[in-house]
Amino acid sequence: MDKKHRKTIIAGNWKMNQLASGVPAFLDELVPALRCGAGEEVVLCVPFPLIPAMKAAAGGTVVRVGAQDVSAHDKGAYTGEVSAAMLQDLGTEYCIIGHSERRAYHAESDELVNAKLKALLGAGITPILCVGESLEQRDAGETLHVVSSQVKAAFEGIRPEQAKAVVIAYEPIWAIGTGRTATAEQAQEVCGFIREYLAEKIYDWETSKAVSILYGGSMNAKNAAELLGQLDIDGGLIGGASLKPADFAVIVKAGNEDA
Ligand code: 13P
């Protein structure tokens, strides 16, 4: 399976922005501007309280709804947590896990990310697994080591057929919210490495070639086409630019191979 047979996924990560009351107006502006290809999926990963509003407003459109985190537990005494079953009940189709902001500010370990990945697969929700190195790690030449150990730990105990349903997002921490995008070559190098690592060290090429690998980190309307044109980059995970309907629509168009 080569690039054109994998799904192109353009996913917005709204982080802790917007209100439920603003969702209909946002989609009213975004949806008419979308030029989405046949093999392309458009996803908006929103804060938990916005999911019902997004689901209602996105009904009948190409926009799919995602969350930004999930509990590793099924149910019980876990105050403040949201389970995979609750997300599924609301019609959530995607969920980000292991974002660097959660790893950094909520001390999420690789083991916890692995448990969350299993919880999502059990509920039939597509995980968007984030991996990526810090600037210090890049400067120390540790990028591939850091990324491969995050990938290895996240896929622990996951069968090949399940692995094909996982989306990976390579998000170098130094590129997130900084305006300092990875060059297309830097992004392709790591995304290509992740595919090779999945094929040679964990699974096989058949499995690895089915996995969509996204790039995230200051992707915007200007740089999206070049990044999305790379061999192993199957889409984007977009923060800031996903909050601007016109910019997000340009990124979706850049991912549309039919356009
Ligand atoms: P920015 O696009 O704002 O750099 O954020 C990227 C990101 O963290 C998406 O998950």
Side-chain angles (χ1 to χ4, degrees):
M1 187 189 275
D2 61 17
K3 179 165 177 161
K4 64 177 181 299
H5 296 108
R6 284 190 293 271
K7 261 189 243 168
T8 298
I9 299 169
I10 306 296
N13 175 7
W14 276 11
K15 308 194 178 183
M16 198 172 72
N17 292 295
Q18 307 280 27
L19 295 173
S21 54
V23 166
F26 185 94
L27 284 194
D28 281 350
E29 196 177 337
L30 176 68
V31 171
L34 288 177
R35 301 286 173 269
C36 183
E40 192 177 19
E41 302 225 323
V42 180
V43 186
L44 285 172
C45 297
V46 299
F48 295 133
L50 276 62
I51 291 175
M54 182 58 80
K55 195 68 197 166
T61 79
V62 296
V63 176
R64 288 154 194 263
V65 182
Q68 300 172 9
D69 187 30
V70 67
S71 175
H73 303 286
D74 286 347
K75 62 175 173 175
Y78 300 101
T79 303
E81 294 258 76
V82 173
S83 72
M86 291 169 184
L87 294 179
Q88 182 200 45
D89 189 42
L90 294 178
T92 311
E93 292 181 66
Y94 286 81
C95 182
I96 296 169
I97 48 169
H99 194 280
S100 59
E101 288 152 15
R102 294 212 61 87
R103 292 181 193 257
Y105 308 147
H106 302 273
E108 291 203 359
S109 66
D110 283 332
E111 292 69 31
L112 183 62
V113 174
N114 173 247
K116 291 184 174 192
L117 192 141
K118 288 174 177 160
L120 290 175
L121 290 176
I125 297 171
T126 302
I128 302 178
L129 164 70
C130 298
V131 297
E133 81 288 1
S134 67
L135 189 56
E136 296 71 43
Q137 290 166 329
R138 174 160 283 264
D139 288 345
E142 292 169 358
T143 298
L144 301 184
H145 171 71
V146 169
V147 167
S148 58
S149 62
Q150 289 174 333
V151 169
K152 181 167 189 275
F155 281 90
E156 194 68 49
I158 304 296
R159 296 189 309 276
E161 281 312 303
Q162 297 176 296
K164 290 180 185 175
V166 178
V167 175
I168 300 176
Y170 167 55
E171 297 208 308
I173 296 168
W174 47 270
I176 296 176
T178 57
R180 184 180 159 188
T181 321
T183 64
E185 293 71 32
Q186 285 172 323
Q188 163 58 29
E189 186 202 358
V190 181
C191 291
F193 167 78
I194 292 171
R195 193 174 312 285
E196 192 180 311
Y197 187 83
L198 282 175
E200 311 242 312
K201 304 282 192 222
I202 310 185
Y203 301 108
D204 49 55
W205 279 103
E206 193 231 325
T207 306
S208 164
K209 286 186 172 185
V211 175
S212 291
I213 303 179
L214 319 183
Y215 167 79
S218 297
M219 189 185 273
N220 58 38
K222 288 209 177 74
N223 61 29
E226 196 189 356
L227 288 159
L228 296 173
Q230 303 300 307
L231 196 61
D232 288 293
I233 300 182
D234 304 312
L237 185 55
I238 298 112
S242 75
L243 295 163
K244 300 176 197 149
D247 288 18
F248 193 57
V250 171
I251 300 173
V252 170
K253 186 152 184 276
N256 180 353
E257 288 177 358
D258 315 324

